[in-house]
Amino acid sequence: MASNWETVIDRVEKYTEELGIPEVAFHRAINKEDFIPEDPSNISGKDLSDKLFEYSSYVSFLNAELGRIDAQYTAISAELSGIIEEVSLVNKISKNKAKARILLENPDMKKAEKRLVELECLQKRITGLRDGYNVRLQACSREVSIRSLER
């Protein structure tokens, strides 16, 4: 049986695969040249334009996806925090004890807590993917700027 964190990681990977956006592929190597995906100066104007559109589309989509995930996280977190606060005040116990009691006694709240962990993992995973495409977008954009100055 897979541990909870393995299950979360598997769901995060499945989710990001289903987004349909290719991974930013870098080869792990000792030479820094191997980390450079492609030299924008060797790309034709049309291909460079296509890359700019592709990368900006990925960044835009991933930003929207992060917003959706953040909204879910905020809603679940606020609900859980409100319940913890109420149990803490009614029973005159610490918030940590209230949270422990809620998670032990209420399977739905335990699921909500697990969902928060999953959403945090998704945020980090998608942010990394977006940042990778942002770097590529910036490199292509710089090349466009250099080419326009050379004209």
Side-chain angles (χ1 to χ4, degrees):
M1 185 171 101
S3 68
N4 284 339
W5 65 266
E6 289 172 318
T7 303
V8 167
I9 291 171
D10 289 343
R11 284 198 304 264
V12 167
E13 289 302 316
K14 183 176 187 274
Y15 181 90
T16 53
E17 283 175 21
E18 289 173 355
L19 291 176
I21 294 178
E23 285 291 325
V24 179
F26 292 99
H27 300 286
R28 295 176 189 215
I30 295 172
N31 299 324
K32 74 175 186 176
E33 291 79 23
D34 293 332
F35 286 98
I36 300 170
E38 56 192 315
D39 182 0
S41 65
N42 294 331
I43 300 174
S44 73
K46 168 80 170 98
D47 289 342
L48 189 58
S49 176
D50 290 347
K51 289 290 182 191
L52 276 169
F53 180 77
E54 176 185 356
Y55 296 157
S56 63
S57 295
Y58 290 158
V59 169
S60 177
F61 176 78
L62 292 169
N63 278 333
E65 197 60 24
L66 279 170
R68 194 182 69 72
I69 290 166
D70 287 344
Q72 284 182 30
Y73 183 90
T74 300
I76 294 169
S77 182
E79 180 180 358
L80 189 56
S81 292
I83 293 169
I84 290 169
E85 182 75 27
E86 184 179 330
V87 169
S88 173
L89 290 172
V90 168
N91 295 295
K92 297 181 182 173
I93 57 176
S94 72
K95 289 182 182 178
N96 285 339
K97 286 182 181 180
K99 181 177 180 179
R101 179 183 288 178
I102 290 165
L103 295 179
L104 280 172
E105 295 173 358
N106 190 325
D108 287 339
M109 290 298 108
K110 192 168 186 169
K111 284 180 190 175
E113 179 74 8
K114 286 182 180 182
R115 181 67 180 152
L116 287 176
V117 170
E118 186 176 307
L119 289 169
E120 283 183 73
C121 290
L122 276 171
Q123 287 170 329
K124 290 178 188 328
R125 182 75 173 84
I126 291 175
T127 297
L129 188 57
R130 182 211 48 204
D131 291 350
Y133 275 109
N134 233 341
V135 169
R136 286 186 170 194
L137 177 62
Q138 291 166 10
C140 287
S141 182
R142 279 191 299 277
E143 181 60 27
V144 168
S145 296
I146 290 168
R147 288 181 187 188
S148 67
L149 289 173
E150 289 174 347
R151 289 183 189 169

